[in-house]
Amino acid sequence: MSSTLRFLRAPMRGVVVPLAEVPDPVFAEGTMGPGIAIDPLGETLHAPCNGEIIHCARTAHAITLRDDGGHEWLLHIGLDTVDLDGDGLELLVATGERVSAGDPLCRFDADRLAQRVKALVTPVVLTNGPDTDLETLVAPGTIVEMGENLLQWQAAADRRDEAGRADSAPDAGASRDATIAAANGLHARPAARLRAIAREHAVELTLTRIGEKAGGSRDAASANVASLSALLNLGLVQGDRVTVSAHGAGAQAAIEAATTLLETPEPGADRPRETPPEAQASGLPLASRMPAAEPGRLNGLSASPGLAVGPLVRYEVALPSVADTASDPEQEKRALVAAIAEVDAELERSTQAAKARGQQAEADIFEAHRAWLDDPDLRAAAETEIAAGRSAGRGWYLALEREIQRLRGGANTLLAARADDLRDLQRQVMQPFAVEAAATLSGLDGAILIAQELTPSQFVEVADRVAGLCLAAGGLTSHVSILARARGLPCLVAMGDALMEAASDKACLDIGPDEPHGALELAPDDRRLTRIDEERTRRHRQAVAEHAQAQNPAVTRDGHHLHVGANIASSAEARAAAQAGADGVGLMRSEFLFLERQSAPSLDEQQAEYRAAVEAMGGKPVIVRLLDIGGDKQLPYLSLPASPNPALGERGVRLWQTHPALFETQLDALLEAGRELPLGEDGLSTLRLMVPMVADVCELRWVRERLEARAGALGIERLPALGVMIEVPTAAVCADSLAREADFLSIGTNDLTQYALAMDREVASLALRSDVLHPGVLRLIAACLQGAAGHCPVAVCGAAAGDPLAGALFAAMGVDELSVESGRIAAVKAGLRRLDAGALAAQLPSLLALADGAAVRQALKTMLEPERGHEPGVADSSAEGIEQAVELDIERGVEQDIERGVEQDIEKGIDKDIGKGADTLGRTTSGPSNTTTRS
Ligand code: PEP
Ligand code: MG
């Protein structure tokens, strides 16, 4: 059956290498698709077939070609060649160009590339036919000549022809009725899957509504699934009936797949609903449930405490400014095709990366975006605008704007939320046509920002301007939550999609300092606003008093001195930490230096950054956590093997064994940065290293060996102190063996809680139950402290260290240091000064005997609030107490400082701290220089 066979020719002369042997897991494991590779013996890449160039990387190292059968071939010259930024490579074609087999596509300087990249081996991968069986026609290890047939396969359409002849009528057409099962109706992701079904079976697939839509709707009656916008235009909601029709040889199979898709509910596939599902489960204890929703009030999980009042503003990404008109419509159309192809290729990469991380829901969203991009109706609308004299950018803007407004104006709130996705695509495709930088976001100052979710870089862009942040998605230990706490910005997460519909000119965000939930009140009345004002004033005064004491040591009422360190991500944050009163840096998350860039920072860059952090802290200790990559933190330039459970895969210290160059460069940079620094007060080096994700002492030994070897190579005799993070339950249980060989331990409660409870820290619906105060997690922490006793100090550097209840308990359990976000330092120190650690320690057995985290939280709260009538008063925290303490501090001169205008300085730090809220209310019994009263 020769007519069903297709061939691909060799794009260059070279040695044939099976894809599985390419030293890059993204190719070797078939993540990108099936294919073959060639180790080149020439310097020009040629077209392996006739077709159209659909993507050329800006850096010229990768080209994608669509053959005349619709198969898309990625030709990737060498590995890691993206890092060369085009150096040594010369593109000979452009996106949109038609080529014939054998045409030259790219010239490269093999010698130059060979000196700078991992390998020259060139994968040739079929990216849109994951199940296609490719047969290699030239034996691996032998030389193939350019143009020689290299691969053969049976084209999918041809296979379908055969199947069709076997089991269906020659001109197959079929239809069946179905009922929409998805709770959210037919939204973009299932719509994209329908489109994929039509493509896979090579049929024309149509959905037609059965019956009239209630209320004289404007929604359409029938849509071809090739057009996502037409499909969404149907406005189908749960329970609606449709007829699914297919035409083509694969009609029966397509109908089968499409009706199954439409009639199957999507459990858990959507983003969090209004309240996390577990919050609705009646069997859960009260404290671990989200409070019931009330009119005018939206609840969420408390990611960062505080109080804020302001208008609600939706996060909108600013659009680039583009030319309005253009003179050559044909050129504009080609430019639009190229811009769309560029965005599509980027989305394809994001899809693969999300799949590699096991984030199927995220991959589905990118796939839906790709379907939008490929929507023939949207393209046709843009081309009509271009034909009328609009520029490519303006034509695309107008075509999508109409769709965005239509989605927003409809009754389906879920589709309205999808308008945000279209807005994102509108912006991305317009970007290459920008004539000036995008306008900055407006109306944010003093507002409460609402968003589905934010990336860390989007957060950083707005954080200094807004008064508070509400996210529909997100979890308590997601990185935006960590960043919000670091800045003391009030923040609620996991609020559900209802948030995106909220509107208010004056809303109130109220998140209590030790409450697991908080609320966004949409229409606070005047009485409420007055009370909020009073509360803000009270918290402000408390924050002023706490800041006045921030540089002093934290000693509990019964005389235990604890270090309060800072968690930072950069040397700039070290400067803020020093000003906030940090006794050192307890955790510098070094991976933040490696994120959001195209290649790893060089040795010099890293060295300068570590050294700057040490200098900012003026001789106080700085602990740099060695690169913690994997799980939720991925580097775009480091292809990690796909893992069904990334949090349980190759990450932290495990990863270094497979990426020694990355690891050793960091060790060298740290050794150089710490060279000849004076020792700290505790006799350890000022710059200290900490190993993440350690499971046992063998891993520590391996790191120490590498450290010694690198120090030897650099001629450095004095090794820096080396500590271990306790994040894996086995490390907590085996802490004695670790503590004997480590210089210090630091408990990472974020991961320890996740692994102990088997609850993913990124899953919003589990956030309430994933509580560090669970007696099981506390027992692990107790075991760790017991194991380390007499060997080395123990800190806590997870987010729980800054939680007023958990932090107090850790102090009572005997930890030596709490390391928290800089915005929390003053309050944490103040909380410790109010604490009678010994009295709380006496309660530990009764706390460990409780049933779950909610019960421990409740009991602790009662213990730390004597006004509730419980003995002993382990923190003097009555409202009168705090007022007296504030008065006391004010008498000592804080008020005068305020009057002198120092407030302006303090305000910069404190206005946000007011947002972050007071710690456990209590009386400071200290003098200005120390806290000395013992119980
Ligand atoms: C932790 O796991 O508690 C921790 C501090 O590390 P990270 O949050 O960066 O994973
Ligand atoms: Mg961790």
Side-chain angles (χ1 to χ4, degrees):
M1 198 40 84
S2 61
S3 64
T4 62
L5 278 183
R6 293 189 184 273
F7 295 91
L8 192 85
R9 300 179 191 191
M12 54 173 70
R13 180 171 192 266
V15 179
V16 176
V17 178
L19 205 56
E21 288 174 19
V22 169
D24 183 331
V26 169
F27 293 112
E29 290 172 11
T31 314
M32 301 290 283
I36 190 80
I38 298 180
D39 213 350
L41 295 171
E43 296 197 320
T44 305
L45 179 80
H46 300 260
C49 53
N50 299 341
E52 184 191 338
I53 303 292
I54 57 169
H55 177 244
C56 295
R58 183 188 55 80
T59 43
H61 71 289
I63 293 172
T64 309
L65 172 69
R66 185 185 292 132
D67 70 21
D68 292 340
H71 303 86
E72 294 174 6
W73 297 94
L74 169 71
L75 311 165
H76 194 284
I77 301 173
L79 302 180
D80 293 347
T81 28
V82 64
D83 294 346
L84 301 179
D85 207 18
D87 185 24
L89 294 139
E90 185 194 354
L91 266 181
L92 305 172
V93 286
T95 304
E97 219 171 277
R98 255 209 82 74
V99 291
S100 302
D103 283 354
L105 306 179
C106 181
R107 243 192 309 272
F108 54 93
D109 181 338
D111 285 345
R112 199 173 173 80
L113 264 55
Q115 282 162 15
R116 299 184 54 199
V117 299
K118 189 152 99 184
L120 273 184
V121 65
T122 296
V124 177
V125 176
L126 177 59
T127 57
N128 65 345
D131 301 327
T132 308
D133 291 328
L134 300 178
E135 196 182 330
T136 308
L137 300 173
V138 182
T142 60
I143 292 176
V144 65
E145 295 300 328
M146 197 286 286
E148 198 181 324
N149 278 343
L150 178 61
L151 294 173
Q152 77 173 24
W153 73 101
Q154 191 178 44
D158 301 330
R159 283 206 299 268
R160 275 193 301 275
D161 283 347
E162 285 178 37
R165 272 190 287 279
D167 62 18
S168 74
D171 178 22
S175 69
R176 192 185 298 171
D177 295 349
T179 305
I180 306 292
N184 290 316
L186 187 69
H187 59 90
R189 273 172 283 146
R193 284 192 211 121
L194 277 179
R195 182 174 158 281
I197 289 171
R199 284 187 154 190
E200 190 187 325
H201 297 276
V203 296
E204 200 175 290
L205 198 60
T206 313
L207 256 56
T208 307
R209 167 190 298 289
I210 300 175
E212 279 295 299
K213 199 164 183 215
S217 136
R218 293 181 293 145
D219 293 332
S222 181
N224 186 321
V225 304
S227 167
L228 212 62
S229 53
L231 259 187
L232 297 184
N233 250 325
L234 293 175
L236 293 169
V237 298
Q238 188 179 30
D240 278 354
R241 306 248 321 133
V242 289
T243 301
V244 186
S245 323
H247 289 280
Q252 284 297 351
I255 291 283
E256 199 68 51
T259 50
T260 305
L261 173 73
L262 293 173
E263 299 203 314
T264 308
E266 313 179 273
D270 285 322
R271 298 186 187 185
R273 308 268 200 297
E274 287 182 24
T275 42
E278 102 289 0
Q280 296 152 6
S282 55
L284 284 175
L286 208 64
S288 66
R289 278 190 250 155
M290 192 87 93
E294 289 169 33
R297 190 183 161 95
L298 294 170
N299 299 312
L301 298 183
S302 162
S304 173
L307 197 54
V309 175
L312 290 191
V313 173
R314 282 166 74 103
Y315 183 81
E316 300 268 9
V317 182
L319 289 176
S321 164
V322 297
D324 196 28
T325 57
S327 54
D328 183 346
E330 286 314 310
Q331 192 182 326
E332 293 301 299
K333 281 184 197 168
R334 281 197 299 278
L336 180 61
V337 168
I340 290 174
E342 188 72 41
V343 175
D344 185 59
E346 189 55 47
L347 285 169
E348 161 68 2
R349 282 191 284 277
S350 304
T351 310
Q352 297 305 341
K355 283 185 181 161
R357 289 196 304 273
Q359 307 275 6
Q360 188 55 44
E362 195 178 313
D364 283 352
I365 292 168
F366 292 132
E367 282 296 355
H369 282 202
R370 297 187 72 201
W372 281 112
L373 273 185
D374 198 29
D375 189 318
D377 290 359
L378 287 179
R379 285 197 191 204
E383 285 182 4
T384 306
E385 296 292 345
I386 291 172
R390 306 280 189 204
S391 71
R394 183 75 182 158
W396 181 252
Y397 165 79
L398 290 171
L400 268 75
E401 194 60 24
R402 274 193 293 274
E403 193 60 19
I404 289 167
Q405 296 313 331
R406 195 191 60 72
L407 289 173
R408 289 228 166 115
N412 186 327
T413 52
L414 196 91
L415 292 188
R418 293 290 75 79
D420 293 346
D421 299 62
L422 264 194
R423 178 74 75 210
D424 214 14
L425 289 176
Q426 189 184 37
R427 182 184 56 79
Q428 289 179 56
V429 175
M430 286 170 73
Q431 199 60 53
F433 306 112
V435 290
E436 59 187 57
T440 50
L441 294 163
S442 62
L444 291 184
D445 297 307
I448 297 173
L449 190 68
I450 62 177
Q452 184 68 36
E453 56 195 338
L454 286 186
T455 63
S457 61
Q458 288 169 332
F459 173 87
V460 170
E461 200 188 337
V462 299
D464 282 339
R465 298 173 57 193
V466 299
L469 176 63
C470 293
L471 297 182
L476 293 180
T477 51
S478 69
H479 286 111
V480 167
S481 297
I482 290 172
L483 291 171
R485 276 192 296 278
R487 297 191 179 226
L489 183 75
C491 174
L492 285 182
V493 298
M495 297 183 74
D497 286 337
L499 174 70
M500 302 314 290
E501 305 310 309
S504 170
D505 289 342
K506 201 168 201 179
C508 166
L509 184 57
D510 187 0
I511 314 168
D514 52 9
E515 296 294 337
H517 325 107
L520 176 69
E521 298 163 34
L522 299 178
D525 61 17
D526 286 349
R527 257 186 60 213
R528 174 76 177 127
L529 285 171
T530 309
R531 284 216 314 278
I532 291 168
D533 231 36
E534 288 165 4
E535 176 65 10
R536 287 170 56 152
T537 308
R538 192 190 65 74
R539 292 188 191 181
H540 179 79
R541 299 177 85 202
Q542 180 178 355
V544 170
E546 288 174 355
H547 269 262
Q549 298 289 329
Q551 298 291 343
N552 294 330
V555 181
T556 64
R557 280 163 59 200
D558 53 337
H560 295 284
H561 180 190
L562 279 93
H563 269 251
V564 179
N567 290 354
I568 63 166
S570 65
S571 59
E573 287 186 25
R575 287 187 276 280
Q579 279 173 10
D583 299 326
V585 167
L587 169 65
M588 180 169 182
R589 289 183 162 97
S590 69
E591 58 279 1
F592 277 80
L593 310 178
F594 291 69
L595 298 173
E596 313 274 327
R597 42 187 300 154
Q598 291 310 313
S599 57
S602 66
L603 188 149
D604 290 348
E605 258 178 279
Q606 289 189 53
Q607 184 183 335
E609 186 68 7
Y610 304 139
R611 190 72 192 213
V614 171
E615 277 161 14
M617 291 310 296
K620 292 176 179 166
V622 172
I623 299 176
V624 177
R625 195 246 313 264
L626 296 169
L627 193 55
D628 184 20
I629 287 299
D632 58 322
K633 288 174 270 187
Q634 300 282 332
L635 302 181
Y637 47 91
L638 187 72
S639 322
L640 299 183
S643 168
N645 273 313
L648 303 179
E650 269 191 38
R651 55 173 307 190
V653 64
R654 304 165 198 171
L655 193 76
W656 306 340
Q657 315 203 351
T658 48
H659 293 77
L662 199 66
F663 171 49
E664 295 192 352
T665 305
Q666 185 177 38
L667 285 186
D668 287 0
L670 283 159
L671 284 163
E672 288 295 358
R675 200 191 267 271
E676 286 164 22
L677 283 177
L679 293 180
E681 280 173 10
D682 53 6
L684 298 178
S685 58
T686 314
L687 183 61
R688 303 166 186 189
L689 278 50
M690 183 157 74
V691 191
M693 283 295 142
V694 169
D696 53 52
V697 72
C698 300
E699 286 169 334
L700 173 64
R701 286 181 189 150
W702 181 81
V703 173
R704 200 180 281 286
E705 262 170 35
R706 296 312 313 144
L707 186 64
E708 282 168 1
R710 293 315 307 158
L714 297 173
I716 291 174
E717 281 175 14
R718 201 184 68 206
L719 288 184
L722 187 62
V724 166
M725 282 196 82
I726 305 294
E727 298 169 287
V728 179
T730 51
V733 173
C734 301
D736 56 342
S737 60
L738 286 162
R740 275 195 205 98
E741 298 189 27
D743 295 307
F744 58 90
L745 304 183
S746 187
I747 305 174
T749 46
N750 304 337
D751 278 314
L752 186 63
T753 307
Q754 131 163 299
Y755 295 128
L757 288 169
M759 290 188 190
D760 191 327
R761 62 193 268 189
E762 296 292 318
V763 173
S765 60
L766 295 175
L768 270 181
R769 283 194 281 162
S770 178
D771 193 340
V772 68
L773 291 180
H774 189 289
V777 183
L778 293 177
R779 283 170 201 233
L780 283 171
I781 293 172
C784 172
L785 286 162
Q786 202 181 353
H791 298 301
C792 73
V794 181
V796 175
C797 66
D803 171 335
L805 298 178
L809 186 59
F810 299 151
M813 290 171 82
V815 306
D816 303 282
E817 174 174 323
L818 296 175
S819 189
V820 302
E821 284 90 3
S822 294
R824 297 278 309 142
I825 288 170
V828 167
K829 284 190 169 183
L832 290 171
R833 292 181 192 124
R834 293 191 289 270
L835 179 72
D836 183 339
L840 184 55
Q843 305 288 327
L844 192 60
S846 66
L847 291 171
L848 293 184
L850 290 171
D852 64 6
V856 175
R857 196 164 277 284
Q858 191 58 48
L860 255 181
K861 213 169 147 190
T862 311
M863 288 172 187
L864 291 167
E865 284 181 3
E867 73 271 26
R868 294 187 181 191
H870 285 253
E871 289 297 329
V874 291
D876 188 355
S877 58
S878 63
E880 298 75 37
I882 186 62
E883 281 302 325
Q884 283 170 20
V886 171
E887 294 307 333
L888 204 72
D889 282 329
I890 290 169
E891 276 165 29
R892 288 192 189 109
V894 176
E895 188 82 315
Q896 286 160 19
D897 286 350
I898 295 171
E899 280 163 13
R900 279 201 308 267
V902 173
E903 193 177 18
Q904 278 173 353
D905 291 341
I906 304 174
E907 283 277 348
K908 287 187 196 130
I910 289 180
D911 249 1
K912 292 201 193 107
D913 295 335
I914 288 177
K916 108 198 149 210
D919 240 31
T920 315
L921 301 179
R923 179 174 63 206
T924 309
T925 52
S926 63
S929 61
N930 209 336
T931 54
T932 51
T933 309
R934 287 163 193 246
S935 57

